[in-house]
């Protein structure tokens, strides 16, 4: 996807959407290295209930970026080799709020890591959520299956 090697475009961009699902798409870069963004969701405060599940989004600077709105579910996505920097993570969550889901997010079963991956997750301007590997956590990074078995910081 993307028409040139320097493409900064989003493969799939959703703006001000509610009650929607993105399911089982392959939005990986065909260039052999990281390019652009796989999925971008940009919502106003009143928009809610968007699910992104079972997608393959490999070799992207940003795999999934979500800003604004309420109650997102992000499950079962393969984000291997996505997330090029702290500013361009595999998943970037910004300004999500709760309607029924704590922190406005339920995230689990996603796969991160790979030789080209630097940052798996960035959360910004959010509150009242948990990150962990237990079933009760709002953002779950499962031991052994998330691809984050060797977590470290090179700084």
């Amino acid at each position: 996807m993307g028409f040139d090697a320097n493409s900064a475009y989003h493969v799939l961009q959703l703006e001000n959407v509610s009650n929607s699902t993105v399911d089982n798409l392959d939005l990986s870069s065909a260039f052999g290295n990281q390019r652009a963004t796989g999925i971008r969701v940009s919502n106003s405060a009143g928009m809610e209930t968007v699910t992104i599940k079972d997608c393959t989004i490999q070799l992207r600077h940003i795999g999934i970026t979500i800003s604004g709105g309420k109650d997102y579910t992000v499950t079962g996505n393969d984000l291997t080799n996505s997330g090029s920097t702290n500013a361009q993570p595999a998943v970037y969550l910004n300004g999500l709020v709760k309607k029924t889901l704590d922190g406005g997010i339920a995230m689990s079963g996603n796969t991160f890591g790979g030789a080209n991956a630097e940052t798996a997750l960035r959360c910004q301007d959010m509150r009242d959520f948990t990150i962990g590997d237990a079933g009760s956590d709002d953002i779950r990074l499962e031991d052994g299956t998330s691809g984050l078995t060797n977590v470290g910081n090179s700084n």
Side-chain angles (χ1 to χ4, degrees):
M1 292 284 197
F3 63 86
D4 67 29
N6 297 311
S7 176
Y9 298 102
H10 315 295
V11 177
L12 181 62
Q13 181 165 327
L14 307 171
E15 292 189 35
N16 291 322
V17 297
S18 282
N19 304 313
S20 301
T21 300
V22 177
D23 184 12
N24 198 32
L25 295 178
D26 187 344
L27 303 175
S28 300
S29 171
F31 289 103
N33 55 8
Q34 291 176 331
R35 295 280 194 267
T37 300
I39 299 174
R40 178 178 185 252
V41 181
S42 179
N43 276 340
S44 61
M47 299 294 130
E48 61 190 54
T49 317
V50 175
T51 299
I52 300 171
K53 66 177 190 163
D54 302 326
C55 292
T56 302
I57 309 169
Q58 297 180 357
L59 288 169
R60 293 287 174 192
H61 288 295
I62 300 174
I64 299 169
T65 181
I66 302 171
S67 62
K70 308 171 197 168
D71 288 3
Y72 293 88
T73 302
V74 179
T75 59
N77 300 292
D78 181 353
L79 296 145
T80 306
N81 290 312
S82 290
S84 60
T85 66
N86 288 335
Q88 296 179 311
V91 176
Y92 189 171
L93 307 175
N94 181 18
L96 310 186
V97 296
K98 176 181 181 171
K99 178 178 180 184
T100 58
L101 299 174
D102 287 342
I105 185 75
M107 185 171 137
S108 65
N110 299 292
T111 305
F112 302 93
N116 297 314
E118 295 294 327
T119 304
L121 174 66
R122 178 176 176 175
C123 298
Q124 183 172 321
D125 192 25
M126 294 176 54
R127 59 199 51 80
D128 301 323
F129 65 97
T130 59
I131 298 174
D133 65 355
S136 60
D137 292 317
D138 305 307
I139 297 175
R140 194 170 11 167
L141 303 172
E142 296 87 349
D143 288 342
T145 59
S146 68
L148 299 178
T149 54
N150 296 313
V151 178
N153 188 341
S154 62
N155 295 331

